[in-house]
Amino acid sequence: MATAGGGSASDPASWSLRFLSFCVLLAGLCRGNSVERKIYISLNKTAPCVRLLNATHQIGCQSSVSGDTGILHVVEKEEDLQWVLTDGPNPPYVVLLEGALFTRSLMEKLKGTAGRIAGLAVSLAKPRPTPGSSPSMKCPNDGFGIYSNSYGPEFAHCREIPWNNLGDSLAYEDFSFPIFLLEDENETRVIKQCYRDHNLSPNGSAPAFPLCAMQLFSHMHAVVSTVTCMRRSSIQSTFSINPEIVCDPLSDYNVWSMLKPINMSAALEPDDRVVVAATRLDSRSFFWNVAPGAESAAASFVTQLAAAEALQKAPDALTLPRNVMFVFFQGETFDYIGSSRMVYDMEKGKFPVQLENIDSFVELGQVALRNSLELWMHTDPMSQKNESVHNQVEALLSTLEKSGAGVPAVVLRRPAQSQPLPPSSLQRFLRARNISGVVLADHATIFHNRYYQSIYDTAENIHVSYPEWQSPEEDLNFVTDTAKVTRLLYGFLVRANNSWFQSFLRQDLRSYLGDGPLQHYIAVSSPTNTTYVVQYALANLTGQVVDLPREQCQDPSKVPSENKDLYEYAWVQGPLSANETSRLPRCVRSTARLARALSPAFELRQWGSTEYSTWTESRWKDIRARIFLVASRELEFVTLTVGFGVLAFSLIVTYCINAKADVLFLAPREPGAVSY
């Protein structure tokens, strides 16, 4: 039977066309990826600037939905910007910027050039910028500490001491174009070679096509503020079967433990007194998940881990008159997420230790960059206007000074009593209750850290280095000039995936170690790498190995002699065996636990709160970067026109062949047929 197109449904012409089409499609599928690889060079080791939001505004960067493309231009000195800003004939441009030039003043120039900037790629500066580089605020966590216009107004907004005096707040700006960090030197060299081969012309003349271009993808789903994005996500979750969430609260877990175990199923008695030893776990930088935080976080929590181990192993530890709670707060970089949540839980009776149980509070701030042996004891002048609190603080300082007298490498000093507290977790506890507290830091006034919350706050910043000829395992056990807690420093600042860190983690957590140093960004998927490793390091350093098989270790409720309310149990990989081909797994019992570090603002659904942190992170679909050669617009237009012409011609030829298929493709006669 003839079809409407003029051919038989099963005639040879129809099947020939179908077979040809199938072959073309199959070839496209098979060869599509290889063609793309021939056109594009993907950049695999990059870190984007992403969008973060709080109650009032958005910060960070994003690209358009389909990515932003521009002709590549390398800027090695500030004068090279002239080509990008005014002289270059082929905008928009993607600027490859030398890391030393990544400053607020230069970024403001790029921000004001509408239409000429498609994006920015930043290379790591080597050596680090000598004057320092801090994209954070001069007054970190301003407005969320204890000082305000109504309480200690002379100290509010860091009026007396701009603690981070090198901070330029670049990380708190909003950029309408994508910005990426190039983390691999080899990829940076490939990009620069592409620029030199195709875009660099003599005497400042316009280069000839084809030109080297870069394409950056980092489109963000959330806009305006946390209030807006959380409301949209909430509406989607309520009315949609497949909700499209556009942002997530920054959240993770605090790590904590007790010197003497306490019953988790009940609150402490009011007469039980606890000394809180606290520090922070997190840091950040301008770029997503690049947060080495050597001085701003790692040196402090490594010191506290070592102190927890030493105190736990002291012969009279269990006979001390007061218990000690070691706390590692997460999210402190973003308006004290971890400490504000713990205070909230204590006030609501959701934590076994209550605020009234706290006898004193000792916090480790930045401690690795001492100019001499001095360590400064910062206290709050406002709470000490209460005579009782003042006396308690004086007693605490005297106790610390007596204890420090026996430590030859430390000299404890007191700054002026009228001086305010530096940014610290203690401030969130003082907002809720007057307690005696002190913050130990290497600085008397402004930070010694010239790379606070920067990509350059690395092991090098705190003078941790290793001989080049040593193997990773030799580096792990090498005693540096900075400190004796060498393995902890090496693991957190240089190489997390080492034999010791592997020994105290569960088998399923090995992938959290990675190959390089851990990054200490709080993120939205939790627990993060740092949180897990610190939890298990704390358990290993302060806990005990107990003789339990795997099944009982994972469910100790079946063992009459063990108490899940007092301890946590973990089945870890254990040390290497004698032949170093396998590990000896074991059960570790400790008091190391996790506590939620999600801002109370999200539990209370107060997304516009000024009391609690409201930071969220936008979701995205695709983040990647690549370079390729781009032809002139004229050639692209000619190619497009010719392509349309070939397509039209092909359609006409196909139509004609199909219309005359019964003539062009005659079916063979059946054998034996005779015509007269």
Side-chain angles (χ1 to χ4, degrees):
M1 181 181 291
T3 64
S8 170
S10 58
D11 64 24
S14 177
W15 283 109
S16 298
L17 289 172
R18 292 180 187 178
F19 178 72
L20 180 61
S21 300
F22 175 75
C23 289
V24 171
L25 290 173
L26 187 62
L29 289 172
C30 295
R31 305 176 72 173
N33 289 336
S34 62
V35 171
E36 181 176 352
R37 286 196 297 269
K38 290 179 180 178
I39 296 175
Y40 300 102
I41 297 177
S42 295
L43 306 175
N44 299 315
K45 294 186 178 181
T46 62
C49 161
V50 304
R51 174 167 291 165
L52 301 175
L53 310 96
N54 66 9
T56 56
H57 60 286
Q58 65 183 31
I59 63 172
C61 323
Q62 77 155 353
S63 72
S64 60
V65 176
S66 56
D68 290 329
T69 304
I71 303 301
L72 184 66
H73 189 74
V74 175
V75 174
E76 296 178 330
K77 54 186 184 298
E78 197 161 343
E79 292 76 20
D80 296 338
L81 272 182
Q82 191 67 25
W83 183 267
V84 174
L85 300 179
T86 56
D87 297 348
N90 301 303
Y93 290 93
V94 171
V95 175
L96 173 52
L97 188 69
E98 290 296 319
L101 297 177
F102 188 55
T103 61
R104 185 181 182 89
S105 59
L106 188 141
M107 291 303 297
E108 285 177 346
K109 292 180 181 179
L110 296 180
K111 198 173 181 179
T113 56
R116 292 192 65 87
I117 300 296
L120 186 68
V122 181
S123 63
L124 283 168
K126 290 193 175 180
R128 298 170 299 156
T130 305
S133 173
S134 174
S136 185
M137 298 178 178
K138 291 184 183 295
C139 188
N141 292 353
D142 187 20
F144 289 86
I146 189 175
Y147 307 116
S148 65
N149 293 332
S150 59
Y151 184 86
E154 65 271 32
F155 307 131
H157 314 300
C158 300
R159 289 191 178 105
E160 183 170 305
I161 302 174
W163 295 101
N164 183 33
N165 68 317
L166 292 178
D168 59 14
S169 299
L170 187 62
Y172 292 85
E173 290 291 321
D174 184 44
F175 295 91
S176 59
F177 51 83
I179 304 177
F180 279 60
L181 175 68
L182 302 175
E183 298 182 277
D184 185 78
E185 291 184 31
N186 292 328
E187 288 188 345
T188 303
R189 280 195 289 269
V190 169
I191 298 169
K192 288 185 176 182
Q193 190 60 49
C194 183
Y195 168 78
R196 286 191 290 266
D197 291 344
H198 300 280
N199 297 13
L200 194 59
S201 58
N203 305 320
S205 58
F209 285 92
L211 298 175
C212 188
M214 182 179 287
Q215 190 172 30
L216 304 174
F217 298 85
S218 63
H219 180 67
M220 301 287 125
H221 294 174
V223 294
V224 182
S225 68
T226 288
V227 176
T228 301
C229 78
M230 288 299 292
R231 184 176 64 244
R232 290 178 178 175
S233 296
S234 178
I235 293 172
Q236 284 275 334
S237 299
T238 304
F239 297 104
S240 175
I241 298 175
N242 298 307
E244 183 180 348
I245 307 301
V246 296
C247 68
D248 300 282
L250 293 180
S251 66
D252 195 22
Y253 288 87
N254 298 322
V255 180
W256 68 284
S257 72
M258 301 297 297
L259 179 65
K260 293 181 279 189
I262 61 173
N263 193 334
M264 288 295 293
S265 61
L268 291 181
E269 295 296 326
D271 293 337
D272 292 334
R273 309 302 291 166
V274 174
V275 176
V276 176
T279 190
R280 67 171 56 188
L281 283 181
D282 68 304
S283 184
R284 70 164 300 200
S285 74
F286 187 90
F287 300 98
W288 182 75
N289 204 31
V290 180
E295 161 73 342
S296 61
S300 305
F301 68 69
V302 162
T303 302
Q304 178 147 304
L305 284 170
E309 179 188 26
L311 191 56
Q312 192 74 51
K313 292 179 179 178
D316 58 345
L318 298 180
T319 62
L320 293 174
R322 299 177 184 86
N323 207 343
V324 179
M325 181 171 77
F326 296 97
V327 188
F328 302 79
F329 290 117
Q330 261 287 11
E332 297 301 272
T333 299
F334 293 96
D335 300 337
Y336 305 118
I337 292 174
S339 56
S340 63
R341 178 53 185 262
M342 182 166 283
V343 171
Y344 175 82
D345 287 343
M346 287 179 172
E347 290 176 324
K348 300 299 180 182
K350 298 179 179 180
F351 195 77
V353 179
Q354 309 297 302
L355 285 171
E356 53 266 27
N357 294 125
I358 297 177
D359 179 81
S360 55
F361 194 108
V362 180
E363 180 173 353
L364 283 179
Q366 300 181 86
V367 295
L369 292 177
R370 290 178 292 160
N371 290 335
S372 58
L373 300 179
E374 294 175 334
L375 204 58
W376 296 88
M377 301 183 293
H378 297 269
T379 58
D380 169 44
M382 296 299 296
S383 60
Q384 290 188 72
K385 291 180 179 180
N386 180 302
E387 185 177 356
S388 174
V389 174
H390 173 73
N391 292 336
Q392 292 173 16
V393 171
E394 283 296 316
L396 174 61
L397 295 178
S398 298
T399 300
L400 289 172
E401 286 171 338
K402 289 177 183 177
S403 301
V407 182
V410 176
V411 177
L412 293 173
R413 301 289 190 196
R414 301 188 188 192
Q417 189 174 337
S418 60
Q419 185 174 299
L421 281 171
S424 53
S425 306
L426 174 59
Q427 294 200 29
R428 290 302 302 194
F429 283 79
L430 288 171
R431 281 177 72 135
R433 184 183 180 89
N434 276 346
I435 57 177
S436 61
V438 61
V439 177
L440 301 176
D442 55 22
H443 53 89
T445 54
I446 62 174
F447 294 166
H448 288 170
N449 187 2
R450 293 181 291 117
Y451 304 98
Y452 182 73
Q453 293 180 3
S454 162
I455 56 177
Y456 302 109
D457 189 10
T458 59
E460 181 186 0
N461 186 34
I462 62 172
H463 315 300
V464 173
S465 60
Y466 301 88
E468 295 181 359
W469 60 84
Q470 288 188 168
S471 68
E473 200 65 22
E474 290 172 328
D475 286 346
L476 174 63
N477 297 294
F478 180 73
V479 179
T480 69
D481 294 333
T482 300
K484 304 301 181 184
V485 284
T486 54
R487 293 195 297 177
L488 285 168
L489 283 172
Y490 178 80
F492 284 108
L493 298 179
V494 180
R495 186 182 178 86
N497 193 11
N498 59 71
S499 60
W500 185 48
F501 275 22
Q502 291 169 13
S503 71
F504 60 65
L505 282 181
R506 298 196 317 251
Q507 174 70 28
D508 60 307
L509 297 179
R510 282 193 60 178
S511 61
Y512 279 69
L513 294 177
D515 290 327
L518 291 177
Q519 303 300 324
H520 310 306
Y521 175 63
I522 179 175
V524 296
S525 57
S526 56
T528 61
N529 306 38
T530 298
T531 300
Y532 265 137
V533 175
V534 168
Q535 180 196 6
Y536 280 86
L538 183 61
N540 178 77
L541 295 171
T542 63
Q544 292 179 315
V545 176
V546 291
D547 187 18
L548 293 177
R550 180 172 184 170
E551 293 73 18
Q552 292 181 347
C553 185
Q554 293 174 339
D555 187 10
S557 60
K558 299 177 181 178
V559 184
S561 60
E562 300 297 335
N563 192 330
K564 185 71 173 176
D565 288 334
L566 294 180
Y567 298 102
E568 287 287 309
Y569 298 80
W571 185 257
V572 300
Q573 295 185 96
L576 288 169
S577 60
N579 57 15
E580 297 190 355
T581 58
S582 61
R583 291 190 172 273
L584 304 173
R586 57 191 184 180
C587 184
V588 175
R589 183 183 69 189
S590 73
T591 62
R593 294 181 170 93
L594 300 180
R596 199 76 174 97
L598 169 68
S599 172
F602 298 101
E603 185 161 308
L604 299 170
R605 295 177 67 87
Q606 296 176 358
W607 304 321
S609 173
T610 57
E611 171 69 15
Y612 299 112
S613 171
T614 56
W615 284 105
T616 54
E617 179 184 276
S618 173
R619 287 195 179 186
W620 58 80
K621 184 178 180 181
D622 188 21
I623 286 184
R624 56 195 170 98
R626 59 189 185 181
I627 60 172
F628 60 98
L629 294 181
V630 62
S632 66
R633 296 188 183 278
E634 292 79 8
L635 180 57
E636 289 179 342
F637 178 76
V638 170
T639 303
L640 181 64
T641 304
V642 171
F644 274 121
V646 171
L647 175 62
F649 177 75
S650 301
L651 291 174
I652 293 171
V653 170
T654 302
Y655 174 78
C656 293
I657 292 175
N658 191 53
K660 300 295 183 180
D662 54 342
V663 177
L664 296 174
F665 303 100
L666 293 176
R669 294 179 183 274
E670 294 183 5
V674 180
S675 61
Y676 297 94

